[in-house]
Amino acid sequence: MNIFVTGGAGFIGSNFITHVLGLSQEYSIVNFDKLTYAGNLANLDSIASNPQYTFIQGDICDPAAVAAAMAGCHTVVHFAAESHVDRTIDDPAPAIATNVTGTFVLLQIALKLNIKKFLHVSSDEVYGDLPLGTFADENSQLRPSSPYSASKASSDLIVRSYVRSFDFPAVITRASNNYGPFQFPEKFLPLLITNALEDKPLPIYGDGKQERNWLHVTDHCRGILAVLERGRIGEVYNIGGLDAIENLTLARRVLRATGKTESLLSHVKDRPGHDRRYALTCEKMERELGWKPSISLDQGLHKTIEWYRSNTAWLAGVRGGEYLTYYQKHYANRGPSGQFIAESGRNSPER
Ligand code: NAD
Ligand code: TYD
């Protein structure tokens, strides 16, 4: 099976490529990635010389580049996106371009090329804020809150329209918050881990009582492959992890696991429109495809902390100028003055 992967140099895409190529030589992968700030070929060092793997740099909004790169592939797994909620609140334009228009371009080309299956990787955030005690299933209403989740929900609906209008062989997955190796440290869990390891403050938006469900990226990759191989055309599949936890409790767990004290916790200005709670039911994945998550947050967190502890060169590589500029701009005015100040190669707390 020749798989066209978009966004394969990002966090989940790179884990997926490494996972799939490690399973069998039956798969070949073309990784098509623009290499935005979030794309990093170092994530793929372990498979870069694998003969089953090809990298092509390109933008999914560029139809000619997509058509040339996708030719000869049988299936598509579409990860490429602007994936960070906070950045899409600062500036929604890149998310609308990549997540909406880029997905449309891919669908157009995939339809023309007679692609056999198109897996659109989406998010639990499309269901929006869920009241305590409720869980979103695949038929729940889409009620996105941020430009990020609205752009993902929009692309989900465009994919659905291709299935209905053009008999296009697409499937959609909606996953909860991922964590694991190679995650860019602007996201909450790697930010908690890397700041804790360096005795820097852990920024907690608002009261920290927001709840997220945590899915280890390896469980997500297994789920995506199951849907790619056996998922029913036109269907949506929720993919969630074993543990739901409030942000503040998660931060406390990271502090305990890294041997740091709670004096590092820093409540900062909240995210506008911040969803309090995401929650999924994933029975369909188990019932239809025999998939369920296998890695508990306890196990996965310890492994992930060890990964960030041992991969300091990777971390230094991703925390370059662009990251520092973002970190400085995003956090400088959120917390107590001077607490979140970036210095070269580090984001430093003055504690
Ligand atoms: P990421 O930000 O780490 O990686 C995104 C990748 O897409 C990068 O390699 C980037 O270079 C590439 N990219 C961005 N714009 C592009 C464009 N126009 N053309 C080609 N490539 C482009 O994201 P991630 O966390 O790995 O997320 C991957 C997918 O999974 C996204 O679609 C996201 O919405 C979805 N998802 C993520 C999570 C999560 O917790 N991270 C949860 C559920 C769903
Ligand atoms: P994030 O990793 O941005 O994922 P998402 O917004 O897609 O769920 O954030 C996870 C949770 O952590 C979310 O409730 C926002 C919160 N958060 C903080 O409290 N502080 C931070 O510095 C960041 C980046 C996130």
Side-chain angles (χ1 to χ4, degrees), residues 216-233:
H216 192 275
V217 68
T218 305
D219 277 337
H220 189 190
C221 293
R222 283 196 303 106
I224 288 174
L225 192 58
V227 174
L228 182 67
E229 292 184 334
R230 290 173 282 118
R232 286 186 294 133
I233 300 299

Side-chain angles (χ1 to χ4, degrees), residues 29-106:
I29 291 184
V30 174
N31 173 16
F32 186 81
D33 194 302
K34 184 178 175 181
L35 299 182
T36 66
Y37 78 92
N40 182 2
L41 290 178
N43 299 3
L44 294 152
D45 277 352
S46 67
I47 53 91
S49 57
N50 186 318
Q52 311 295 115
Y53 171 73
T54 308
F55 173 69
I56 298 173
Q57 184 168 5
D59 187 337
I60 59 167
C61 298
D62 176 348
V66 171
M70 199 189 284
C73 292
H74 305 114
T75 58
V76 173
V77 183
H78 173 32
F79 293 99
E82 288 295 331
S83 70
H84 191 41
V85 172
D86 291 321
R87 287 194 192 239
T88 74
I89 293 171
D90 291 348
D91 178 9
I96 303 302
T98 287
N99 304 2
V100 183
T101 307
T103 301
F104 162 69
V105 168
L106 289 171

Side-chain angles (χ1 to χ4, degrees), residues 275-326:
D275 284 332
R276 297 292 287 181
R277 178 173 177 269
Y278 299 137
L280 291 175
T281 60
C282 304
E283 281 146 23
K284 186 168 171 181
M285 280 294 288
E286 187 169 358
R287 193 176 63 246
E288 289 194 11
L289 305 177
W291 175 94
K292 50 183 180 179
S294 64
I295 303 173
S296 70
L297 183 58
D298 216 28
Q299 290 171 308
L301 187 57
H302 280 90
K303 279 200 336 209
T304 305
I305 290 171
E306 277 325 301
W307 189 87
Y308 280 96
R309 218 195 276 280
S310 326
N311 285 275
T312 47
W314 180 88
L315 191 60
V318 298
R319 291 201 302 197
E322 200 281 341
Y323 176 79
L324 293 178
T325 308
Y326 168 77

Side-chain angles (χ1 to χ4, degrees), residues 1-302:
M1 194 198 284
N2 209 357
I3 311 174
F4 184 77
V5 169
T6 70
F11 162 50
I12 306 173
S14 60
N15 274 281
F16 178 77
I17 292 173
T18 310
H19 176 75
V20 167
L21 292 179
L23 286 180
S24 153
Q25 293 192 342
E26 277 173 30
Y27 302 103
S28 298
I29 291 184
V30 174
N31 173 16
F32 186 81
D33 194 302
K34 184 178 175 181
L35 299 182
T36 66
Y37 78 92
N40 182 2
L41 290 178
N43 299 3
L44 294 152
D45 277 352
S46 67
I47 53 91
S49 57
N50 186 318
Q52 311 295 115
Y53 171 73
T54 308
F55 173 69
I56 298 173
Q57 184 168 5
D59 187 337
I60 59 167
C61 298
D62 176 348
V66 171
M70 199 189 284
C73 292
H74 305 114
T75 58
V76 173
V77 183
H78 173 32
F79 293 99
E82 288 295 331
S83 70
H84 191 41
V85 172
D86 291 321
R87 287 194 192 239
T88 74
I89 293 171
D90 291 348
D91 178 9
I96 303 302
T98 287
N99 304 2
V100 183
T101 307
T103 301
F104 162 69
V105 168
L106 289 171
L107 290 167
Q108 283 287 83
I109 310 269
L111 184 64
K112 258 195 215 133
L113 292 178
N114 202 17
I115 285 292
K116 299 291 171 254
K117 200 165 192 177
F118 184 104
L119 190 155
H120 175 62
V121 179
S122 188
S123 161
D124 64 353
E125 300 198 23
V126 300
Y127 300 120
D129 229 342
L130 292 184
L132 267 179
T134 63
F135 294 84
D137 69 22
E138 289 81 355
N139 295 315
S140 295
Q141 202 186 343
L142 304 189
R143 294 172 59 248
S145 307
S146 67
Y148 165 72
S149 52
S151 69
K152 295 299 289 187
S154 306
S155 58
D156 287 17
L157 294 179
I158 299 169
V159 171
R160 179 182 154 83
S161 78
Y162 271 62
V163 174
R164 292 292 298 258
S165 303
F166 308 120
D167 215 7
F168 182 71
V171 279
I172 296 174
T173 56
R174 296 191 180 131
S176 61
N177 285 64
N178 280 224
Y179 70 102
F182 300 110
Q183 188 168 25
F184 196 78
E186 66 186 358
K187 299 277 169 51
F188 188 50
L189 194 40
L191 184 63
L192 293 178
I193 294 172
T194 52
N195 279 12
L197 289 175
E198 295 173 2
D199 293 305
K200 298 171 186 170
L202 275 46
I204 310 294
Y205 293 165
D207 63 5
K209 302 269 183 208
Q210 306 83 4
E211 184 183 307
R212 296 290 183 269
N213 171 291
W214 292 94
L215 171 68
H216 192 275
V217 68
T218 305
D219 277 337
H220 189 190
C221 293
R222 283 196 303 106
I224 288 174
L225 192 58
V227 174
L228 182 67
E229 292 184 334
R230 290 173 282 118
R232 286 186 294 133
I233 300 299
E235 294 294 315
V236 176
Y237 293 89
N238 285 347
I239 306 184
L242 289 168
D243 303 86
I245 183 171
E246 288 181 355
N247 291 341
L248 188 56
T249 313
L250 180 61
R252 291 197 164 113
R253 272 219 216 172
V254 169
L255 289 172
R256 255 202 322 278
T258 51
K260 307 293 167 148
T261 69
E262 294 200 3
S263 64
L264 287 178
L265 293 173
S266 176
H267 287 269
V268 301
K269 191 167 148 227
D270 206 350
R271 170 188 283 172
H274 196 169
D275 284 332
R276 297 292 287 181
R277 178 173 177 269
Y278 299 137
L280 291 175
T281 60
C282 304
E283 281 146 23
K284 186 168 171 181
M285 280 294 288
E286 187 169 358
R287 193 176 63 246
E288 289 194 11
L289 305 177
W291 175 94
K292 50 183 180 179
S294 64
I295 303 173
S296 70
L297 183 58
D298 216 28
Q299 290 171 308
L301 187 57
H302 280 90

